[in-house]
Structure formats: structure tokens, C-alpha cells
Amino acid sequence: MSTAHSQIISAIPDAFERGKASGDLLFFPSEIHTHSDGGIDFQIRLCPALLQKPTLPTPHFNQTSNDKLDPFKAPYNPNLYVGELKDDEEGVEYVVLLNKFSVVSNHILLITKEFQSQSSPLHPGDLVQAYLVLRAARKTGKPMFAFYNCGDRSGASQAHKHIQFIPVDEDEDGPPIELLSKAARIEKEALPFSLVPLPFANHVRRLSIPSKAPHLELESALSNAFLQLLDLCISTVRHDPEYPPGTPSYNVILTLEHLYIFPRRQEIHKLRETGDLLSVNALGFAGLMLVKSPEELEAVKKEGPLNILKGVGVTSVHDLQVAGGPEFD
Ligand code: B4P
């Protein structure tokens, strides 16, 4: 395992405390409410303090940088800076920053040093570096999972390419959705599958990557899996006559064992009960929802997280076409 990735993981806790103490990292306390829906134990995080979060302008997801609005452009705030990584094969450099607006401790972002668009797909180097961060995190007993909000209907608020990482409990290998994927019995690991209990399109690939796989093998396994899922995502949205024109939006989740893509129709869900607008990002599809008031919490429980995700996701058209589709224990 690479020293660079281990060093990043080891540097996070001190950097987080430093960021908080400096006042440059804002931490918003929250409490978790578990709510079971469709076999997934959703964690709904109630975070009233987020109502105090400053409202930032949401830039358009251009292919070019808008320096004035880009918080991920050098020079980096030393109180949010964790370290740097380089993908030697692709020659791409990355910076690891702490999330300035943290709801979960030690939430980090892997950003491209040069501007790349958040509407662009994950490239082989992005996938490899993200996977190596996850591997280092698991090895040091501080497991994490990664997510990527791609496109302007995905819940993303920043246009500069950034993959995010959130820690999970030591005895967990990923977010709540991972349990469903682990339980899926599939015939061929090299084929994508869908989690059929979910009432929206979802494309998943199991990753069986040996821990000592050389860089090229890792890169090929991850980029092949990603391209398979992206093809399915594009074909899913093409089957939807009402899908808005333009580049599709989607959410990506990466764990050491699975890669997921969820096509997105819209960013915001209007809650039936309260009329509140709920912004959903990849974390919602991972099984982690965020609400800002007890009323919103009750409204989410009543409407059901899966119905909410169905509202912002896309209808599935591929379930019946999946070779060796999953069975569940
Ligand atoms: P995006 O992909 O653009 O969007 P996001 O995660 O949905 O965050 P958003 O900014 O929309 O925040 P929201 O109020 O919904 O990610 C951009 C990331 O960069 C964010 O993490 C943002 O905080 C961070 N960022 C912005 N400016 C920065 C700067 N100058 N330096 C460093 N980082 C900067 O949600 C508030 C927070 O809660 C977000 O961090 C979000 O990721 C997190 N969150 C959402 N749902 C959650 C859940 N269920 N559990 C835990 N955390 C959750």
C-alpha cells in the first residue's frame, strides 16, 4: 500500500482539530435517527445547526473554471489542507482538503489540482486514487467510503471536480446500502447488477480486487467497472422520454467492494407533508439522509426515504436484462 495514502489518512484527525480550532472549519453537530425502509436501515441525520450555514452561490456546471467562485483553487487554506497525491500513470495531481462545512468529523475532499468539471465522469486516475485512499483508511482501522455528485441535478454545489470521503464505524465496510449489495448473490462478478428491491434505477458492480494488485490491474478493474455502469446510466436516461436534455446527472458511491451509479432526474424533492425542499446528494442513495428540523425529520419518515429517492432518481428499465440478476439472502 502506498505511503502517501497512509500519510493522508494519518494526518486527517490532527488537521480536523486544527481546522476547527482555527474557526476555518465549521462543524455542525447533529443526531442520527434510524429509520428502516425496504430492508435498508436509513440513518437520518437531524442537523438544525445547518440552518446557520452561510448560503453560497451555486455556480453553473461549466466545463471551464470560474476562479472567483472556486473554493478549490490554490492557494489552499492551511487550516483545511491535509496533503497531496499524484496519479503517476495519468499524471494528474490531487489535493486533499477537509470539508469546510462538516456534519461528520474527518470528512475530506479529493480535488483535482487543475480545474476539471464536476460534470465530467470519473477518470481512471480519480478512481485509482479514491480506491487507494479507501484501502489506506481500512488498513489503519478508520474505514471510509467515497461519493461523487456528478452534474447539476446530482446535489453538487461546487463546479470544480471533487470526490468526497466520509468515515464509517470501525465494524462497518460502507454505508447502509452496502449491506444490500453484499447480500446480493450474483452469478458473474464481472457483470453489473441492480438491487431489485430499490424502486429506482441503480447500477452496481462488485469489485474483487486483490489487495496486492499492481497499479495497472487496479486501474483497469475500476475503469472497466465504471464504464459499464456509466453506459447503463446513459441508456437508462435515454429510455426516459421526460429526462431533461443535456449531460446526464448521476451519483457515484465507491466502497472497497462495490461501485454504484444512480442516475438523477432532479436535485430537489418537495416533501409532501411540509412542502420543504430537500436537497438530495449521493449520501441519500447511500442510505444517509440529512434534515434540518424535527418537522422535516417526521416528514421524511412519513413519506419514506425510498419514495423520496424515487422522486429524484430515474425509473429502472434494466432489471429484467441483467444476466445472472441478484438473489437476496
Ligand atoms: P458538493 O458535492 O458540491 O455538494 P454537497 O456534498 O451536497 O454539499 P453542499 O455544499 O450542497 O452542502 P449541504 O448544505 O447540502 O460538495 C461540495 C463540498 O465542498 C461540500 O462538502 C461542502 O461543504 C464543501 N465545501 C464548500 N466550500 C468549501 C471550502 N471553501 N473548502 C472546503 N470545502 C468546501 O450539506 C452540508 C454538508 O453536509 C455537506 O458537507 C454535505 O456533504 C454534508 N452532508 C449532506 N448529507 C449528509 C448526510 N446524510 N450525512 C452527513 N453529511 C451530509
Side-chain angles (χ1 to χ4, degrees), residues 45 50 53 56 71-72 80 98-101 103-104 107 109 118 147 149 155-158 162 164 166 281 283 288-290:
R45 215 173 250 279
L50 262 187
K53 181 186 161 192
L56 302 169
F72 302 149
L80 298 176
L98 292 159
N99 176 6
K100 182 174 177 61
F101 305 102
V103 172
V104 177
H107 178 162
L109 315 170
Q118 187 73 4
F147 63 99
N149 301 319
S157 64
Q158 296 300 334
H162 58 282
Q164 307 192 54
I166 290 229
N281 71 12
L283 291 175
L288 307 170
M289 311 286 287
L290 185 66

PDB file of all heavy atoms in Angstrom, residues 45 50 53 56 71-72 80 98-101 103-104 107 109 118 147 149 155-158 162 164 166 281 283 288-290, ligand 1:
ATOM      1  N   ARG A  45     -29.983  12.101   9.523  1.00  0.00           N
ATOM      2  CA  ARG A  45     -29.221  12.979  10.410  1.00  0.00           C
ATOM      3  C   ARG A  45     -29.983  14.283  10.591  1.00  0.00           C
ATOM      4  O   ARG A  45     -30.253  14.987   9.606  1.00  0.00           O
ATOM      5  CB  ARG A  45     -27.867  13.256   9.779  1.00  0.00           C
ATOM      6  CG  ARG A  45     -26.752  13.377  10.741  1.00  0.00           C
ATOM      7  CD  ARG A  45     -25.471  13.464   9.959  1.00  0.00           C
ATOM      8  NE  ARG A  45     -24.673  12.269  10.097  1.00  0.00           N
ATOM      9  CZ  ARG A  45     -23.885  12.009  11.132  1.00  0.00           C
ATOM     10  NH1 ARG A  45     -23.828  12.860  12.141  1.00  0.00           N
ATOM     11  NH2 ARG A  45     -23.161  10.922  11.169  1.00  0.00           N
ATOM     12  N   LEU A  50     -27.366  23.451  10.749  1.00  0.00           N
ATOM     13  CA  LEU A  50     -27.066  23.756   9.342  1.00  0.00           C
ATOM     14  C   LEU A  50     -27.877  24.932   8.812  1.00  0.00           C
ATOM     15  O   LEU A  50     -27.526  25.520   7.785  1.00  0.00           O
ATOM     16  CB  LEU A  50     -27.352  22.536   8.466  1.00  0.00           C
ATOM     17  CG  LEU A  50     -26.181  21.642   8.067  1.00  0.00           C
ATOM     18  CD1 LEU A  50     -26.651  20.597   7.075  1.00  0.00           C
ATOM     19  CD2 LEU A  50     -25.011  22.433   7.486  1.00  0.00           C
ATOM     20  N   LYS A  53     -25.807  27.742   8.292  1.00  0.00           N
ATOM     21  CA  LYS A  53     -24.716  27.695   7.299  1.00  0.00           C
ATOM     22  C   LYS A  53     -24.890  28.821   6.294  1.00  0.00           C
ATOM     23  O   LYS A  53     -25.983  29.023   5.781  1.00  0.00           O
ATOM     24  CB  LYS A  53     -24.745  26.338   6.580  1.00  0.00           C
ATOM     25  CG  LYS A  53     -23.648  26.163   5.558  1.00  0.00           C
ATOM     26  CD  LYS A  53     -23.810  24.867   4.780  1.00  0.00           C
ATOM     27  CE  LYS A  53     -23.022  24.940   3.490  1.00  0.00           C
ATOM     28  NZ  LYS A  53     -23.326  23.890   2.548  1.00  0.00           N
ATOM     29  N   LEU A  56     -24.142  29.863  -0.067  1.00  0.00           N
ATOM     30  CA  LEU A  56     -23.101  30.201  -1.042  1.00  0.00           C
ATOM     31  C   LEU A  56     -23.717  30.204  -2.434  1.00  0.00           C
ATOM     32  O   LEU A  56     -24.658  29.445  -2.693  1.00  0.00           O
ATOM     33  CB  LEU A  56     -21.982  29.151  -0.979  1.00  0.00           C
ATOM     34  CG  LEU A  56     -21.335  28.995   0.381  1.00  0.00           C
ATOM     35  CD1 LEU A  56     -20.438  27.763   0.405  1.00  0.00           C
ATOM     36  CD2 LEU A  56     -20.534  30.231   0.725  1.00  0.00           C
ATOM     37  N   PRO A  71     -13.770  27.534  -4.618  1.00  0.00           N
ATOM     38  CA  PRO A  71     -13.067  27.430  -3.328  1.00  0.00           C
ATOM     39  C   PRO A  71     -11.953  26.378  -3.356  1.00  0.00           C
ATOM     40  O   PRO A  71     -11.192  26.258  -2.396  1.00  0.00           O
ATOM     41  CB  PRO A  71     -14.180  26.998  -2.363  1.00  0.00           C
ATOM     42  CG  PRO A  71     -15.154  26.263  -3.210  1.00  0.00           C
ATOM     43  CD  PRO A  71     -15.083  26.859  -4.590  1.00  0.00           C
ATOM     44  N   PHE A  72     -11.881  25.631  -4.472  1.00  0.00           N
ATOM     45  CA  PHE A  72     -10.888  24.548  -4.528  1.00  0.00           C
ATOM     46  C   PHE A  72      -9.682  24.921  -5.391  1.00  0.00           C
ATOM     47  O   PHE A  72      -8.979  24.068  -5.922  1.00  0.00           O
ATOM     48  CB  PHE A  72     -11.534  23.260  -5.053  1.00  0.00           C
ATOM     49  CG  PHE A  72     -12.707  22.797  -4.237  1.00  0.00           C
ATOM     50  CD1 PHE A  72     -13.757  22.111  -4.831  1.00  0.00           C
ATOM     51  CD2 PHE A  72     -12.774  23.041  -2.874  1.00  0.00           C
ATOM     52  CE1 PHE A  72     -14.846  21.682  -4.084  1.00  0.00           C
ATOM     53  CE2 PHE A  72     -13.851  22.621  -2.116  1.00  0.00           C
ATOM     54  CZ  PHE A  72     -14.892  21.943  -2.723  1.00  0.00           C
ATOM     55  N   LEU A  80      -7.304  23.967   6.325  1.00  0.00           N
ATOM     56  CA  LEU A  80      -8.174  22.930   5.737  1.00  0.00           C
ATOM     57  C   LEU A  80      -7.353  21.926   4.921  1.00  0.00           C
ATOM     58  O   LEU A  80      -7.884  20.937   4.425  1.00  0.00           O
ATOM     59  CB  LEU A  80      -9.238  23.580   4.822  1.00  0.00           C
ATOM     60  CG  LEU A  80     -10.210  24.551   5.498  1.00  0.00           C
ATOM     61  CD1 LEU A  80     -11.132  25.193   4.461  1.00  0.00           C
ATOM     62  CD2 LEU A  80     -11.048  23.837   6.562  1.00  0.00           C
ATOM     63  N   LEU A  98      -9.943  19.287   3.977  1.00  0.00           N
ATOM     64  CA  LEU A  98     -11.076  18.989   4.873  1.00  0.00           C
ATOM     65  C   LEU A  98     -12.299  19.713   4.353  1.00  0.00           C
ATOM     66  O   LEU A  98     -12.189  20.814   3.783  1.00  0.00           O
ATOM     67  CB  LEU A  98     -10.762  19.501   6.275  1.00  0.00           C
ATOM     68  CG  LEU A  98      -9.652  18.744   6.978  1.00  0.00           C
ATOM     69  CD1 LEU A  98      -9.064  19.601   8.082  1.00  0.00           C
ATOM     70  CD2 LEU A  98     -10.172  17.427   7.551  1.00  0.00           C
ATOM     71  N   ASN A  99     -13.466  19.102   4.538  1.00  0.00           N
ATOM     72  CA  ASN A  99     -14.721  19.775   4.214  1.00  0.00           C
ATOM     73  C   ASN A  99     -14.878  20.968   5.158  1.00  0.00           C
ATOM     74  O   ASN A  99     -14.864  20.797   6.383  1.00  0.00           O
ATOM     75  CB  ASN A  99     -15.875  18.775   4.392  1.00  0.00           C
ATOM     76  CG  ASN A  99     -17.231  19.411   4.165  1.00  0.00           C
ATOM     77  OD1 ASN A  99     -17.325  20.577   3.768  1.00  0.00           O
ATOM     78  ND2 ASN A  99     -18.277  18.643   4.407  1.00  0.00           N
ATOM     79  N   LYS A 100     -15.015  22.144   4.588  1.00  0.00           N
ATOM     80  CA  LYS A 100     -15.132  23.353   5.421  1.00  0.00           C
ATOM     81  C   LYS A 100     -16.427  23.346   6.241  1.00  0.00           C
ATOM     82  O   LYS A 100     -16.482  23.914   7.318  1.00  0.00           O
ATOM     83  CB  LYS A 100     -15.106  24.592   4.502  1.00  0.00           C
ATOM     84  CG  LYS A 100     -15.177  25.901   5.236  1.00  0.00           C
ATOM     85  CD  LYS A 100     -14.991  27.070   4.268  1.00  0.00           C
ATOM     86  CE  LYS A 100     -15.132  28.395   4.973  1.00  0.00           C
ATOM     87  NZ  LYS A 100     -14.145  28.623   6.036  1.00  0.00           N
ATOM     88  N   PHE A 101     -17.468  22.688   5.723  1.00  0.00           N
ATOM     89  CA  PHE A 101     -18.780  22.691   6.390  1.00  0.00           C
ATOM     90  C   PHE A 101     -19.117  21.251   6.793  1.00  0.00           C
ATOM     91  O   PHE A 101     -19.882  20.563   6.116  1.00  0.00           O
ATOM     92  CB  PHE A 101     -19.852  23.255   5.447  1.00  0.00           C
ATOM     93  CG  PHE A 101     -19.504  24.623   4.916  1.00  0.00           C
ATOM     94  CD1 PHE A 101     -19.003  24.792   3.637  1.00  0.00           C
ATOM     95  CD2 PHE A 101     -19.664  25.741   5.725  1.00  0.00           C
ATOM     96  CE1 PHE A 101     -18.672  26.056   3.158  1.00  0.00           C
ATOM     97  CE2 PHE A 101     -19.335  27.010   5.251  1.00  0.00           C
ATOM     98  CZ  PHE A 101     -18.839  27.165   3.966  1.00  0.00           C
ATOM     99  N   VAL A 103     -20.486  18.027   8.803  1.00  0.00           N
ATOM    100  CA  VAL A 103     -21.527  17.490   9.675  1.00  0.00           C
ATOM    101  C   VAL A 103     -20.965  16.235  10.346  1.00  0.00           C
ATOM    102  O   VAL A 103     -21.337  15.877  11.460  1.00  0.00           O
ATOM    103  CB  VAL A 103     -22.779  17.163   8.828  1.00  0.00           C
ATOM    104  CG1 VAL A 103     -23.815  16.438   9.646  1.00  0.00           C
ATOM    105  CG2 VAL A 103     -23.364  18.442   8.242  1.00  0.00           C
ATOM    106  N   VAL A 104     -20.044  15.578   9.636  1.00  0.00           N
ATOM    107  CA  VAL A 104     -19.384  14.378  10.149  1.00  0.00           C
ATOM    108  C   VAL A 104     -17.905  14.724  10.326  1.00  0.00           C
ATOM    109  O   VAL A 104     -17.303  15.325   9.427  1.00  0.00           O
ATOM    110  CB  VAL A 104     -19.530  13.233   9.122  1.00  0.00           C
ATOM    111  CG1 VAL A 104     -18.796  11.993   9.570  1.00  0.00           C
ATOM    112  CG2 VAL A 104     -20.991  12.928   8.849  1.00  0.00           C
ATOM    113  N   HIS A 107     -14.457  14.509   7.529  1.00  0.00           N
ATOM    114  CA  HIS A 107     -14.987  14.441   6.155  1.00  0.00           C
ATOM    115  C   HIS A 107     -13.985  15.157   5.247  1.00  0.00           C
ATOM    116  O   HIS A 107     -13.683  16.323   5.449  1.00  0.00           O
ATOM    117  CB  HIS A 107     -16.355  15.140   6.173  1.00  0.00           C
ATOM    118  CG  HIS A 107     -17.058  15.233   4.856  1.00  0.00           C
ATOM    119  ND1 HIS A 107     -18.405  15.486   4.764  1.00  0.00           N
ATOM    120  CD2 HIS A 107     -16.642  15.131   3.574  1.00  0.00           C
ATOM    121  CE1 HIS A 107     -18.791  15.530   3.506  1.00  0.00           C
ATOM    122  NE2 HIS A 107     -17.731  15.324   2.747  1.00  0.00           N
ATOM    123  N   LEU A 109     -12.176  15.892   1.161  1.00  0.00           N
ATOM    124  CA  LEU A 109     -12.440  16.023  -0.273  1.00  0.00           C
ATOM    125  C   LEU A 109     -11.138  15.781  -1.033  1.00  0.00           C
ATOM    126  O   LEU A 109     -10.088  16.291  -0.628  1.00  0.00           O
ATOM    127  CB  LEU A 109     -12.916  17.435  -0.617  1.00  0.00           C
ATOM    128  CG  LEU A 109     -13.967  18.099   0.273  1.00  0.00           C
ATOM    129  CD1 LEU A 109     -14.110  19.568  -0.106  1.00  0.00           C
ATOM    130  CD2 LEU A 109     -15.296  17.398   0.117  1.00  0.00           C
ATOM    131  N   GLN A 118     -17.037  19.243 -12.545  1.00  0.00           N
ATOM    132  CA  GLN A 118     -17.802  18.280 -11.737  1.00  0.00           C
ATOM    133  C   GLN A 118     -18.853  17.568 -12.596  1.00  0.00           C
ATOM    134  O   GLN A 118     -19.483  16.629 -12.154  1.00  0.00           O
ATOM    135  CB  GLN A 118     -18.445  19.015 -10.545  1.00  0.00           C
ATOM    136  CG  GLN A 118     -19.133  18.147  -9.507  1.00  0.00           C
ATOM    137  CD  GLN A 118     -18.166  17.369  -8.613  1.00  0.00           C
ATOM    138  OE1 GLN A 118     -16.946  17.530  -8.709  1.00  0.00           O
ATOM    139  NE2 GLN A 118     -18.682  16.521  -7.746  1.00  0.00           N
ATOM    140  N   PHE A 147     -17.853   9.246  -2.318  1.00  0.00           N
ATOM    141  CA  PHE A 147     -19.001   9.553  -3.186  1.00  0.00           C
ATOM    142  C   PHE A 147     -18.687  10.736  -4.082  1.00  0.00           C
ATOM    143  O   PHE A 147     -17.825  11.571  -3.764  1.00  0.00           O
ATOM    144  CB  PHE A 147     -20.286   9.784  -2.364  1.00  0.00           C
ATOM    145  CG  PHE A 147     -20.274  10.953  -1.423  1.00  0.00           C
ATOM    146  CD1 PHE A 147     -20.862  12.161  -1.771  1.00  0.00           C
ATOM    147  CD2 PHE A 147     -19.689  10.855  -0.170  1.00  0.00           C
ATOM    148  CE1 PHE A 147     -20.876  13.249  -0.899  1.00  0.00           C
ATOM    149  CE2 PHE A 147     -19.690  11.937   0.710  1.00  0.00           C
ATOM    150  CZ  PHE A 147     -20.277  13.130   0.352  1.00  0.00           C
ATOM    151  N   ASN A 149     -20.829  13.508  -6.628  1.00  0.00           N
ATOM    152  CA  ASN A 149     -22.080  14.054  -7.142  1.00  0.00           C
ATOM    153  C   ASN A 149     -21.773  14.648  -8.507  1.00  0.00           C
ATOM    154  O   ASN A 149     -21.111  15.681  -8.592  1.00  0.00           O
ATOM    155  CB  ASN A 149     -22.593  15.162  -6.214  1.00  0.00           C
ATOM    156  CG  ASN A 149     -22.832  14.653  -4.808  1.00  0.00           C
ATOM    157  OD1 ASN A 149     -23.352  13.551  -4.619  1.00  0.00           O
ATOM    158  ND2 ASN A 149     -22.448  15.443  -3.807  1.00  0.00           N
ATOM    159  N   GLY A 155     -27.061  17.104  -6.799  1.00  0.00           N
ATOM    160  CA  GLY A 155     -26.892  17.568  -5.420  1.00  0.00           C
ATOM    161  C   GLY A 155     -25.566  18.272  -5.212  1.00  0.00           C
ATOM    162  O   GLY A 155     -25.261  18.726  -4.109  1.00  0.00           O
ATOM    163  N   ALA A 156     -24.756  18.373  -6.272  1.00  0.00           N
ATOM    164  CA  ALA A 156     -23.454  19.044  -6.126  1.00  0.00           C
ATOM    165  C   ALA A 156     -23.637  20.555  -6.074  1.00  0.00           C
ATOM    166  O   ALA A 156     -24.544  21.093  -6.694  1.00  0.00           O
ATOM    167  CB  ALA A 156     -22.554  18.678  -7.311  1.00  0.00           C
ATOM    168  N   SER A 157     -22.761  21.217  -5.309  1.00  0.00           N
ATOM    169  CA  SER A 157     -22.847  22.676  -5.230  1.00  0.00           C
ATOM    170  C   SER A 157     -21.556  23.344  -5.691  1.00  0.00           C
ATOM    171  O   SER A 157     -21.475  24.556  -5.708  1.00  0.00           O
ATOM    172  CB  SER A 157     -23.168  23.106  -3.798  1.00  0.00           C
ATOM    173  OG  SER A 157     -22.102  22.722  -2.963  1.00  0.00           O
ATOM    174  N   GLN A 158     -20.566  22.562  -6.014  1.00  0.00           N
ATOM    175  CA  GLN A 158     -19.294  23.133  -6.488  1.00  0.00           C
ATOM    176  C   GLN A 158     -18.942  22.563  -7.849  1.00  0.00           C
ATOM    177  O   GLN A 158     -19.088  21.356  -8.072  1.00  0.00           O
ATOM    178  CB  GLN A 158     -18.162  22.810  -5.492  1.00  0.00           C
ATOM    179  CG  GLN A 158     -18.351  23.432  -4.125  1.00  0.00           C
ATOM    180  CD  GLN A 158     -18.414  24.953  -4.173  1.00  0.00           C
ATOM    181  OE1 GLN A 158     -17.868  25.587  -5.072  1.00  0.00           O
ATOM    182  NE2 GLN A 158     -19.114  25.549  -3.210  1.00  0.00           N
ATOM    183  N   HIS A 162     -14.514  17.201  -7.386  1.00  0.00           N
ATOM    184  CA  HIS A 162     -14.161  16.788  -6.022  1.00  0.00           C
ATOM    185  C   HIS A 162     -14.876  15.475  -5.689  1.00  0.00           C
ATOM    186  O   HIS A 162     -16.066  15.339  -5.910  1.00  0.00           O
ATOM    187  CB  HIS A 162     -14.532  17.870  -5.003  1.00  0.00           C
ATOM    188  CG  HIS A 162     -15.985  18.238  -5.025  1.00  0.00           C
ATOM    189  ND1 HIS A 162     -16.530  19.064  -5.982  1.00  0.00           N
ATOM    190  CD2 HIS A 162     -17.013  17.881  -4.224  1.00  0.00           C
ATOM    191  CE1 HIS A 162     -17.831  19.202  -5.766  1.00  0.00           C
ATOM    192  NE2 HIS A 162     -18.154  18.484  -4.704  1.00  0.00           N
ATOM    193  N   GLN A 164     -15.721  13.022  -2.480  1.00  0.00           N
ATOM    194  CA  GLN A 164     -15.791  13.204  -1.022  1.00  0.00           C
ATOM    195  C   GLN A 164     -15.665  11.853  -0.297  1.00  0.00           C
ATOM    196  O   GLN A 164     -16.056  10.813  -0.844  1.00  0.00           O
ATOM    197  CB  GLN A 164     -17.117  13.852  -0.642  1.00  0.00           C
ATOM    198  CG  GLN A 164     -17.379  15.143  -1.413  1.00  0.00           C
ATOM    199  CD  GLN A 164     -18.527  15.940  -0.836  1.00  0.00           C
ATOM    200  OE1 GLN A 164     -18.540  16.258   0.341  1.00  0.00           O
ATOM    201  NE2 GLN A 164     -19.493  16.271  -1.661  1.00  0.00           N
ATOM    202  N   ILE A 166     -16.349   9.956   3.563  1.00  0.00           N
ATOM    203  CA  ILE A 166     -16.953  10.044   4.899  1.00  0.00           C
ATOM    204  C   ILE A 166     -16.573   8.793   5.693  1.00  0.00           C
ATOM    205  O   ILE A 166     -16.681   7.672   5.164  1.00  0.00           O
ATOM    206  CB  ILE A 166     -18.496  10.123   4.756  1.00  0.00           C
ATOM    207  CG1 ILE A 166     -18.874  11.470   4.164  1.00  0.00           C
ATOM    208  CG2 ILE A 166     -19.195   9.846   6.055  1.00  0.00           C
ATOM    209  CD1 ILE A 166     -19.951  12.203   4.895  1.00  0.00           C
ATOM    210  N   ASN A 281     -28.182  14.389  -2.178  1.00  0.00           N
ATOM    211  CA  ASN A 281     -26.958  14.080  -2.930  1.00  0.00           C
ATOM    212  C   ASN A 281     -26.680  12.579  -2.834  1.00  0.00           C
ATOM    213  O   ASN A 281     -27.548  11.803  -2.412  1.00  0.00           O
ATOM    214  CB  ASN A 281     -25.785  14.963  -2.453  1.00  0.00           C
ATOM    215  CG  ASN A 281     -25.289  14.591  -1.066  1.00  0.00           C
ATOM    216  OD1 ASN A 281     -25.649  13.550  -0.514  1.00  0.00           O
ATOM    217  ND2 ASN A 281     -24.458  15.437  -0.496  1.00  0.00           N
ATOM    218  N   LEU A 283     -25.242  10.842  -0.813  1.00  0.00           N
ATOM    219  CA  LEU A 283     -25.378  10.236   0.515  1.00  0.00           C
ATOM    220  C   LEU A 283     -26.779   9.687   0.732  1.00  0.00           C
ATOM    221  O   LEU A 283     -26.957   8.677   1.415  1.00  0.00           O
ATOM    222  CB  LEU A 283     -25.002  11.247   1.598  1.00  0.00           C
ATOM    223  CG  LEU A 283     -23.509  11.606   1.634  1.00  0.00           C
ATOM    224  CD1 LEU A 283     -23.243  12.705   2.644  1.00  0.00           C
ATOM    225  CD2 LEU A 283     -22.680  10.368   1.964  1.00  0.00           C
ATOM    226  N   LEU A 288     -27.994   7.576   3.755  1.00  0.00           N
ATOM    227  CA  LEU A 288     -27.778   8.622   4.770  1.00  0.00           C
ATOM    228  C   LEU A 288     -28.518   9.882   4.325  1.00  0.00           C
ATOM    229  O   LEU A 288     -28.158  10.488   3.318  1.00  0.00           O
ATOM    230  CB  LEU A 288     -26.282   8.938   4.894  1.00  0.00           C
ATOM    231  CG  LEU A 288     -25.359   7.750   5.137  1.00  0.00           C
ATOM    232  CD1 LEU A 288     -23.899   8.163   4.997  1.00  0.00           C
ATOM    233  CD2 LEU A 288     -25.582   7.163   6.528  1.00  0.00           C
ATOM    234  N   MET A 289     -29.571  10.251   5.062  1.00  0.00           N
ATOM    235  CA  MET A 289     -30.331  11.447   4.685  1.00  0.00           C
ATOM    236  C   MET A 289     -29.978  12.570   5.661  1.00  0.00           C
ATOM    237  O   MET A 289     -29.558  12.318   6.797  1.00  0.00           O
ATOM    238  CB  MET A 289     -31.843  11.201   4.759  1.00  0.00           C
ATOM    239  CG  MET A 289     -32.362   9.951   4.086  1.00  0.00           C
ATOM    240  SD  MET A 289     -32.403  10.011   2.304  1.00  0.00           S
ATOM    241  CE  MET A 289     -33.752  11.099   1.990  1.00  0.00           C
ATOM    242  N   LEU A 290     -30.192  13.796   5.223  1.00  0.00           N
ATOM    243  CA  LEU A 290     -29.894  14.959   6.069  1.00  0.00           C
ATOM    244  C   LEU A 290     -31.132  15.838   6.142  1.00  0.00           C
ATOM    245  O   LEU A 290     -31.689  16.201   5.113  1.00  0.00           O
ATOM    246  CB  LEU A 290     -28.742  15.750   5.440  1.00  0.00           C
ATOM    247  CG  LEU A 290     -28.204  16.926   6.225  1.00  0.00           C
ATOM    248  CD1 LEU A 290     -27.534  16.480   7.513  1.00  0.00           C
ATOM    249  CD2 LEU A 290     -27.191  17.705   5.377  1.00  0.00           C
TER     250      LEU A 290
HETATM  251  P1  B4P B   1     -20.954  19.009  -3.337  1.00  0.00           P
HETATM  252  O1  B4P B   1     -20.813  17.682  -3.990  1.00  0.00           O
HETATM  253  O2  B4P B   1     -20.809  20.164  -4.265  1.00  0.00           O
HETATM  254  O3  B4P B   1     -22.317  19.135  -2.522  1.00  0.00           O
HETATM  255  P2  B4P B   1     -22.805  18.525  -1.130  1.00  0.00           P
HETATM  256  O4  B4P B   1     -21.897  17.480  -0.591  1.00  0.00           O
HETATM  257  O5  B4P B   1     -24.237  18.166  -1.282  1.00  0.00           O
HETATM  258  O6  B4P B   1     -22.674  19.772  -0.190  1.00  0.00           O
HETATM  259  P3  B4P B   1     -23.439  21.150  -0.217  1.00  0.00           P
HETATM  260  O7  B4P B   1     -22.367  22.200  -0.359  1.00  0.00           O
HETATM  261  O8  B4P B   1     -24.542  21.148  -1.208  1.00  0.00           O
HETATM  262  O9  B4P B   1     -23.926  21.246   1.274  1.00  0.00           O
HETATM  263  P4  B4P B   1     -25.315  20.867   2.026  1.00  0.00           P
HETATM  264  O10 B4P B   1     -25.761  22.116   2.689  1.00  0.00           O
HETATM  265  O11 B4P B   1     -26.233  20.083   1.177  1.00  0.00           O
HETATM  266  O12 B4P B   1     -19.844  19.110  -2.240  1.00  0.00           O
HETATM  267  C1  B4P B   1     -19.087  20.270  -2.003  1.00  0.00           C
HETATM  268  C2  B4P B   1     -18.347  20.008  -0.727  1.00  0.00           C
HETATM  269  O13 B4P B   1     -17.364  21.029  -0.547  1.00  0.00           O
HETATM  270  C3  B4P B   1     -19.277  20.062   0.459  1.00  0.00           C
HETATM  271  O14 B4P B   1     -18.906  19.051   1.356  1.00  0.00           O
HETATM  272  C4  B4P B   1     -19.002  21.443   1.023  1.00  0.00           C
HETATM  273  O15 B4P B   1     -19.298  21.510   2.382  1.00  0.00           O
HETATM  274  C5  B4P B   1     -17.509  21.563   0.725  1.00  0.00           C
HETATM  275  N1  B4P B   1     -17.004  22.942   0.640  1.00  0.00           N
HETATM  276  C6  B4P B   1     -17.633  24.052   0.179  1.00  0.00           C
HETATM  277  N2  B4P B   1     -16.796  25.115   0.240  1.00  0.00           N
HETATM  278  C7  B4P B   1     -15.627  24.666   0.732  1.00  0.00           C
HETATM  279  C8  B4P B   1     -14.369  25.274   1.030  1.00  0.00           C
HETATM  280  N3  B4P B   1     -14.156  26.576   0.852  1.00  0.00           N
HETATM  281  N4  B4P B   1     -13.382  24.497   1.500  1.00  0.00           N
HETATM  282  C9  B4P B   1     -13.569  23.174   1.717  1.00  0.00           C
HETATM  283  N5  B4P B   1     -14.735  22.541   1.484  1.00  0.00           N
HETATM  284  C10 B4P B   1     -15.747  23.279   0.990  1.00  0.00           C
HETATM  285  O16 B4P B   1     -24.748  19.896   3.140  1.00  0.00           O
HETATM  286  C11 B4P B   1     -23.882  20.384   4.151  1.00  0.00           C
HETATM  287  C12 B4P B   1     -22.792  19.373   4.404  1.00  0.00           C
HETATM  288  O17 B4P B   1     -23.377  18.160   4.882  1.00  0.00           O
HETATM  289  C13 B4P B   1     -22.032  18.998   3.139  1.00  0.00           C
HETATM  290  O18 B4P B   1     -20.692  18.850   3.505  1.00  0.00           O
HETATM  291  C14 B4P B   1     -22.606  17.666   2.757  1.00  0.00           C
HETATM  292  O19 B4P B   1     -21.678  16.866   2.029  1.00  0.00           O
HETATM  293  C15 B4P B   1     -22.919  17.078   4.113  1.00  0.00           C
HETATM  294  N6  B4P B   1     -23.988  16.078   4.082  1.00  0.00           N
HETATM  295  C16 B4P B   1     -25.069  16.017   3.268  1.00  0.00           C
HETATM  296  N7  B4P B   1     -25.857  14.967   3.582  1.00  0.00           N
HETATM  297  C17 B4P B   1     -25.262  14.357   4.619  1.00  0.00           C
HETATM  298  C18 B4P B   1     -25.574  13.208   5.402  1.00  0.00           C
HETATM  299  N8  B4P B   1     -26.665  12.490   5.185  1.00  0.00           N
HETATM  300  N9  B4P B   1     -24.732  12.845   6.373  1.00  0.00           N
HETATM  301  C19 B4P B   1     -23.614  13.576   6.618  1.00  0.00           C
HETATM  302  N10 B4P B   1     -23.254  14.679   5.935  1.00  0.00           N
HETATM  303  C20 B4P B   1     -24.075  15.065   4.948  1.00  0.00           C
END
